[in-house]
Amino acid sequence: MKSKKLQRRLALFVAIAIVLSLFVAVTLILAMSGCQKADAQHLSALPASPAPGDDQEPAAADLINLGESQIQWVALTDAVCPGVASMAASAKSPSPAKKIKAKCHLVNPLISNPGRIAFTFDDGPGRHTERLLDALKSFNVRVTFFVQGRAAERYPHLIQRMQEEGHQVANHTYSHVFLTKADPLIREQQLLETSDIIENLTGSRPTIMRPPGGHRGEEVYAEAGRQGMATVLWDIDTADWVYKDAGYVYDFLLRRARAGKIFLMHDIHPTTVDGFIQALPLLLDHGFVPVTVDELIQLQPGDVYPAFWRR
Ligand code: NI
């Protein structure tokens, strides 16, 4: 009697164990298929447009809107910068993306396609420009500075030094005015005054200008053309002004450096200067040859470069 009772209990126990295992297995299968479905929905919901001019951009890029301007989109993917895409996704709104402090330190630099490359620095000169010039001189490297007229008045010796050391000095308006929103007379004066200041310091007028904030249009291109300048934007925005992190700038340059491209940076940020100085010897070691914009591309007054900005 007793053993039969024991057998029945054992059978019941085994049956319960089987049912429980089946339940766990079914739950796991359902959960996994749910994840795949969510991933598929997530990917299909992502915008397909790549960063301006960057044909290397992965298709499924996580994009965050960094401001009012249509050009202030930065593609951030876990492939490009591990961890940053998820940070960006969680910071979409309402918190301003500008506050994201991105850290993505590189294990293996993914340098590819070395060759001539144009590094450009906007908004200066400033307190950190001298340090940048020292580093450029020590590596015998030339870049392009899009300077503000008012900053040139404050640091005239740095403008002269840029010229003496072979850098290209270009026009970024007198006081960083958004030219599409400005009165035509202001637009003319902002550019004219800055070119006058540069000419007084260097002996030659700038042949290229970059509109502040990338605010561009036919009226801007035409005014630049009337003043003997082409409009030069950029191929790749490092977003250095968003992250203000030397490690970010360093990683970005090593991962995204490509021959023939114009990179946008700002020498008014110490983090940009630090990150660039750290990345520079590695980029040189890997065969990149920094050149000025006029060495990279021949432009005529009124031209717009890169051309895709005019579309
Ligand atoms: Ni600017």
Side-chain angles (χ1 to χ4, degrees):
M1 276 299 277
K2 239 180 181 179
S3 74
K4 267 194 174 180
K5 204 173 177 180
L6 201 65
Q7 273 176 4
R8 270 208 305 273
R9 277 188 180 172
L10 202 64
L12 188 66
F13 178 76
V14 170
I16 288 170
I18 290 169
V19 168
L20 275 175
S21 325
L22 277 171
F23 178 74
V24 169
V26 168
T27 310
L28 277 173
I29 289 166
L30 283 175
M32 281 170 73
S33 72
C35 280
Q36 281 166 2
K37 202 175 170 187
D39 280 351
Q41 280 171 351
H42 177 63
L43 287 173
S44 65
L46 288 171
S49 56
D54 188 2
D55 49 7
Q56 310 281 346
E57 199 59 48
D62 243 337
L63 294 168
I64 56 167
N65 189 353
L66 298 173
E68 324 87 14
S69 170
Q70 69 275 39
I71 56 149
Q72 290 169 354
W73 289 84
V74 178
L76 296 169
T77 67
D78 276 324
V80 170
C81 188
V84 175
S86 45
M87 281 168 70
S90 63
K92 260 175 192 165
S93 66
S95 66
K98 280 185 181 184
K99 288 187 177 164
I100 305 167
K101 288 283 178 189
K103 297 251 181 201
C104 63
H105 290 285
L106 194 62
V107 182
N108 298 308
L110 305 173
I111 289 176
S112 61
N113 192 16
R116 283 150 61 88
I117 188 167
F119 296 115
T120 67
F121 295 91
D122 286 15
D123 297 356
R127 286 189 295 134
H128 311 283
T129 307
E130 188 143 39
R131 198 152 55 83
L132 175 60
L133 285 169
D134 290 344
L136 293 167
K137 190 178 181 183
S138 69
F139 288 105
N140 194 27
V141 160
R142 277 163 291 283
V143 301
T144 301
F145 291 95
F146 287 89
V147 304
Q148 293 186 60
R150 61 182 175 182
E153 283 180 335
R154 196 170 173 194
Y155 299 95
H157 62 291
L158 294 182
I159 301 292
Q160 286 165 336
R161 187 175 163 193
M162 287 170 188
Q163 162 85 1
E164 283 159 14
E165 294 176 1
H167 304 295
Q168 187 172 3
V169 183
N171 190 324
H172 196 47
T173 74
Y174 182 79
S175 54
H176 212 263
V177 161
F178 292 167
L179 296 175
T180 48
K181 295 172 183 171
D183 180 86
L185 193 63
I186 301 287
R187 189 184 302 140
E188 182 189 2
Q189 285 174 343
Q190 281 279 327
L191 293 171
L192 207 55
E193 201 175 344
T194 305
S195 289
D196 287 346
I197 292 165
I198 293 171
E199 187 178 17
N200 286 337
L201 291 168
T202 65
S204 51
R205 291 185 85 73
T207 55
I208 56 171
M209 61 80 67
R210 176 174 284 161
H215 291 273
R216 67 204 185 278
E218 294 301 326
E219 69 278 36
V220 176
Y221 309 146
E223 183 55 47
R226 277 193 290 277
Q227 298 192 30
M229 293 183 286
T231 301
V232 172
L233 290 126
W234 54 86
D235 291 296
I236 297 172
D237 178 0
T238 60
D240 61 328
W241 55 276
V242 179
Y243 297 110
K244 292 184 187 148
D245 180 301
Y248 166 84
V249 172
Y250 169 86
D251 291 349
F252 190 100
L253 290 172
L254 294 186
R255 288 172 183 273
R256 303 287 296 277
R258 298 288 184 277
K261 303 285 187 187
I262 296 179
F263 277 70
L264 169 66
M265 284 176 280
H266 300 79
D267 53 320
I268 52 170
H269 303 305
T271 44
T272 299
V273 172
D274 289 341
F276 177 79
I277 291 174
Q278 286 167 31
L280 185 57
L282 276 155
L283 293 168
L284 297 174
D285 280 353
H286 283 80
F288 283 99
V289 181
V291 293
T292 60
V293 170
D294 66 359
E295 288 171 327
L296 187 75
I297 179 86
Q298 292 289 314
L299 295 167
Q300 299 300 317
D303 284 355
V304 181
Y305 188 85
F308 63 79
W309 288 99
R310 203 163 198 167
R311 272 183 230 138

